[in-house]
Amino acid sequence: ARYADTITIRNGQLRPSAPRPRSPLDQLRPDLLRMHIVGVIRALASALDCLAGVIIGVAALPADILRADFSRARNVLKSGCTPTKQAESRLRSFGGRLEANIANAGPDGWLEWTLDFRNMLVHRGRRFEIGQLLPRLPVLYRPSGEPIMQRVIQLPRDPGRSEVEVFLDSPWSQVLTEDAKQTLEGLKNSTMALIERTAEDLLDLWTWRRANPRILEQPRTQ
């Protein structure tokens, strides 16, 4: 809303200008926006780590259930550390469905991007913020003729790399082309879809374990 009236027309050229703050809250809005982005990403990654804990427990994987994270659980599941061939076949089937759930929940690389972005926010320095001032769609004009604008914030394309690495690859785009709001909404939907489908598969695996309690025993480390 603050950026809606920041464009003026001078000599036929559209010229943006920084809006003057009208209250202390206006000064805080960029930081509040960053807090919301960080909050969403950390919440989604935490949900995935909680899912990892359930996977480790239900699949009886030889991993620390209290320090579970999704990437580690996924790698342990792929390693095939099982005591019997029957258990190996069952866990291989579950692992295949997990990979299919990840692929079907969103675009290629969505899961890795989410976890990389969380790791960047928590463990590393923040990247430069890049955005655009674009006309709102459908385009509306003020009585003076200037278009009503909106500020579009774009998240980093490759959060797993450092700022210097990204600059070295110019003109490779440094940010995603869509608005951050669209990105976060898509990540939320993808995470929910992955959790729901994997929970169904975990329920099937747990039912099988209850019917065959001696085929796959819980590791002593748990």
Side-chain angles (χ1 to χ4, degrees):
R2 286 190 64 210
Y3 282 88
D5 297 327
T6 59
I7 298 295
T8 58
I9 298 179
R10 298 178 185 175
N11 300 324
Q13 299 289 327
L14 295 178
R15 298 183 181 274
S17 60
R20 297 187 63 180
R22 296 162 295 187
S23 68
L25 183 60
D26 281 348
Q27 298 282 67
L28 292 173
R29 287 190 192 279
D31 294 312
L32 293 175
L33 181 61
R34 296 183 191 103
M35 289 171 60
H36 283 299
I37 292 174
V38 173
V40 170
I41 293 297
R42 291 186 66 175
L44 295 179
S46 294
L48 291 169
D49 286 346
C50 288
L51 177 63
V54 181
I55 291 173
I56 290 173
V58 173
L61 300 180
D64 189 342
I65 197 169
L66 294 179
R67 299 179 183 272
D69 69 68
F70 196 84
S71 296
R72 187 179 308 166
R74 195 177 173 190
N75 290 334
V76 173
L77 191 60
K78 289 179 179 179
S79 67
C81 300
T82 52
T84 65
K85 289 186 177 181
Q86 192 172 359
E88 181 181 358
S89 174
R90 191 76 189 196
L91 291 186
R92 187 185 301 114
S93 175
F94 171 78
R97 289 197 300 272
L98 177 63
E99 296 302 315
N101 291 340
I102 294 171
N104 294 331
D108 290 343
W110 74 268
L111 176 65
E112 291 78 7
W113 188 94
T114 302
L115 298 177
D116 283 345
F117 194 27
R118 188 273 303 270
N119 291 338
M120 183 201 77
L121 294 172
V122 174
H123 300 298
R124 296 189 293 276
R126 304 294 167 84
R127 300 276 291 274
F128 282 114
E129 295 182 1
I130 299 176
Q132 300 182 72
L133 283 174
L134 299 174
R136 289 188 176 182
L137 297 177
V139 179
L140 299 176
Y141 295 88
R142 303 199 303 275
S144 57
E146 292 91 352
I148 296 177
M149 306 297 289
Q150 64 178 343
R151 184 188 178 204
V152 175
I153 298 172
Q154 294 159 294
L155 300 177
R157 177 184 291 274
D158 194 351
R161 305 173 70 203
S162 70
E163 198 81 65
V164 173
E165 288 179 293
V166 175
F167 275 119
L168 286 173
D169 278 349
S170 291
W172 173 257
S173 176
Q174 301 174 30
V175 293
L176 300 175
T177 57
E178 63 190 14
D179 189 354
K181 182 178 179 180
Q182 182 179 352
T183 303
L184 296 178
E185 188 71 26
L187 292 178
K188 185 193 74 171
N189 294 335
S190 295
T191 303
M192 291 173 59
L194 173 61
I195 291 174
E196 289 176 357
R197 293 167 185 165
T198 304
E200 294 175 356
D201 294 335
L202 285 168
L203 183 59
D204 290 340
L205 180 59
W206 182 246
T207 302
W208 173 80
R209 285 192 64 189
R210 290 289 299 271
N212 305 274
R214 297 189 179 278
I215 294 179
L216 185 60
E217 297 184 355
Q218 214 70 21
R220 288 184 176 274
T221 53
Q222 292 181 16

